[in-house]
Amino acid sequence: MKSIIILFSVLCFANSAKANDEKIVKSKISKVTVYSQGAQIYRKASYSVTKGVTEVVIDGVSNNIDNNSLQVNATGNVIILDTKYAIHYPEVKTPKLEGLSLQTRKRILALEDSIYSVNYEVQTLQDEINVYLATKKILANNGAIKGQGKVNDSIGLLKDAIQYYTKKMMEVNKQLQKLNHDKRSENIKMQAMKERLNLLKNAEANNGKGKPKAPTYRITITLKTNTSATGKIDISYLVNNAGWTPLYDLRSETSTNKINLNYKANVYQNTGIDWDDVRLNISTNNPYQNKTKPELHPWYIDFNRYKAHGDNLNTMNNVTVQGSRMKRKSESMGYESDAQPQADEYQEAEMAYDFTTTVENMISAEFQIDLPYSIKSNGQKHMVLVKNVDLDANYKYYTVPKVDKSVYLVAQLSKLAELQLVPAKANIFFDGTYMGETYLDPTTMDDTLNLSLGKDPNIIVKRTLLKKESKEKIIGPKKERTFAYSIEVKNLKSRAIKLVVQDQIPITQNADIEIEPLTLSRGKLNKRTGIVEWEFNLKPKASKDLQFSYKVKHDKEKPIFFY
């Protein structure tokens, strides 16, 4: 009967150990989706488990996984009971002396003897410290020092008592200071010996590698099955130490009406794990951005209350809008705001962007690159070619001589929404020459994107104030001022160009100031902004003179200023 009970206990223990079985399996990163901030890592692994509950461990993952993003799927006849991400600290095993070399054992024994001796010295010093501490306590609690007994009636006795106390306390404190210093020195010596002892033991156990194993990060998946099972495990999780920044190359040639757009991504990662031969997806999404839509709350308006100062009562037309940074004042002509005013030898080689597929999601775009990339975990940027496309362009020359006498070549691009671009810097190349940088911002509400390709020195522009036509005179209570300008344009190029010239006349919000355009040389005036625009074709070596003028009338007693 006793043998049966023992056998039953052994079987129960074996079943318990089997239920808590742990298996470490190898995994490989199969795909990475890189966001503007963060990256989604996809891993694959194979498993083989027996009946019961088994913990499948995926070791060597990143040390900055977002635990909320962890997802696990598995094939096979198993149930996923639990998934968790945690740090694993390797168990430190102290080797036995029998397994060490003779020389190492001698050094270990010598260190252990030295540690024993130093420990004895420390204990001896501590005993002496305890005696002096007790002596100090006795001196401090003596009745003569506290003024108790006959000493209180005699000045001579009190004087002797104070001198004795001072002398003895100085001796005790001095001795305590020395003993504590000696004890600290011995402790430092013993600690150094213990560290050398541990390193000596571990060095022999780790084949000469003295450093202990560092902690690792692992994903543990708890599986349950009623029979032996095998299958695949798909794991995905988000890490934050990765991302990409966009960069564009814009190449244009005068012989064509096309602009070649080369869409590139600078991918970086510092997740602690290298990405070796993985498929990359570049996504415009940012999982760390706020995803909650804003809500409006009631917005109130009421009269402001003012205190009277003498006879100055400013109570009319004063309105304060709560919740807004804009306010109206009775003494102002408008509004004030404190807001502050981004295989064949001759066959062409295939390019990386030929392997890119664009997948448009509800709120972002994802570029699937069908080429393997290897990116080290060192934070360095790696260039990934995303897309290459030829865009239809309409070329025009623009000049604003009031601000800059240069003439700029501008390419007007349309239908950019389908390219899923994001705002970024762009390198400009014109006729094979690097022209500089510009900023590509497809998020503007305009249907057409004006892309400045740089200055053209072969078109001359000159803006002149016509002094004879610019006059000033007084008419009754009013002052009338006339301004006239001439803009001369000359095309030195060998071909015709389409040119847009912009200038402006002032505008006002003050009803006491009158502004009247006089001559515009067929220019189009935007009355809301005051901008005058001329658009025309200019033949090779031809010139054109544009003149415009305007008149300003105001109260002669009130000076005006332009801003």
Side-chain angles (χ1 to χ4, degrees), residues 215-244:
T216 60
Y217 298 81
R218 55 171 52 178
I219 296 172
T220 303
I221 306 161
T222 306
L223 301 178
K224 180 181 179 181
T225 179
N226 295 324
T227 181
S228 298
T230 60
K232 304 288 185 181
I233 299 177
D234 292 324
I235 307 164
S236 68
Y237 49 84
L238 183 67
V239 292
N240 57 18
N241 285 358
W244 69 282

Side-chain angles (χ1 to χ4, degrees), residues 175-339:
Q175 197 63 29
L176 279 174
Q177 188 176 11
K178 181 180 182 303
L179 290 171
N180 282 320
H181 178 270
D182 293 343
K183 179 186 172 185
R184 182 174 178 274
S185 299
E186 294 296 326
N187 278 327
I188 293 173
K189 188 189 299 182
M190 183 168 59
Q191 182 63 30
M193 290 180 181
K194 287 181 178 180
E195 289 177 359
R196 288 201 301 272
L197 181 62
N198 290 333
L199 286 173
L200 195 59
K201 290 180 178 180
N202 292 328
E204 185 79 13
N206 294 322
N207 296 324
K209 297 179 181 179
K211 293 184 179 179
K213 293 181 179 180
T216 60
Y217 298 81
R218 55 171 52 178
I219 296 172
T220 303
I221 306 161
T222 306
L223 301 178
K224 180 181 179 181
T225 179
N226 295 324
T227 181
S228 298
T230 60
K232 304 288 185 181
I233 299 177
D234 292 324
I235 307 164
S236 68
Y237 49 84
L238 183 67
V239 292
N240 57 18
N241 285 358
W244 69 282
T245 54
L247 182 64
Y248 305 104
D249 284 343
L250 296 167
R251 301 179 183 274
S252 174
E253 294 184 3
T254 53
S255 58
T256 65
N257 287 331
K258 300 282 187 180
I259 286 186
N260 179 261
L261 173 66
N262 199 0
Y263 190 175
K264 300 182 290 186
N266 280 323
V267 179
Y268 65 92
Q269 68 106 347
N270 197 17
T271 62
I273 304 296
D274 293 340
W275 301 345
D276 296 324
D277 290 334
V278 299
R279 303 283 176 170
L280 285 182
N281 291 348
I282 305 297
S283 175
T284 59
N285 184 31
N286 184 353
Y288 293 99
Q289 279 184 340
N290 179 32
K291 299 296 190 294
T292 305
K293 81 174 188 69
E295 298 287 344
L296 284 175
H297 300 283
W299 188 22
Y300 299 100
I301 187 170
D302 202 349
F303 289 104
N304 200 355
R305 298 179 180 179
Y306 287 87
K307 292 182 179 180
H309 297 280
D311 296 331
N312 234 351
L313 299 179
N314 295 325
T315 57
M316 298 179 61
N317 297 329
N318 282 284
V319 178
T320 297
V321 182
Q322 298 179 4
S324 171
R325 301 183 70 182
M326 187 170 286
K327 54 190 177 181
R328 183 172 183 177
K329 296 183 177 181
S330 59
E331 63 270 25
S332 173
M333 294 307 299
Y335 289 89
E336 290 187 358
S337 172
D338 56 1

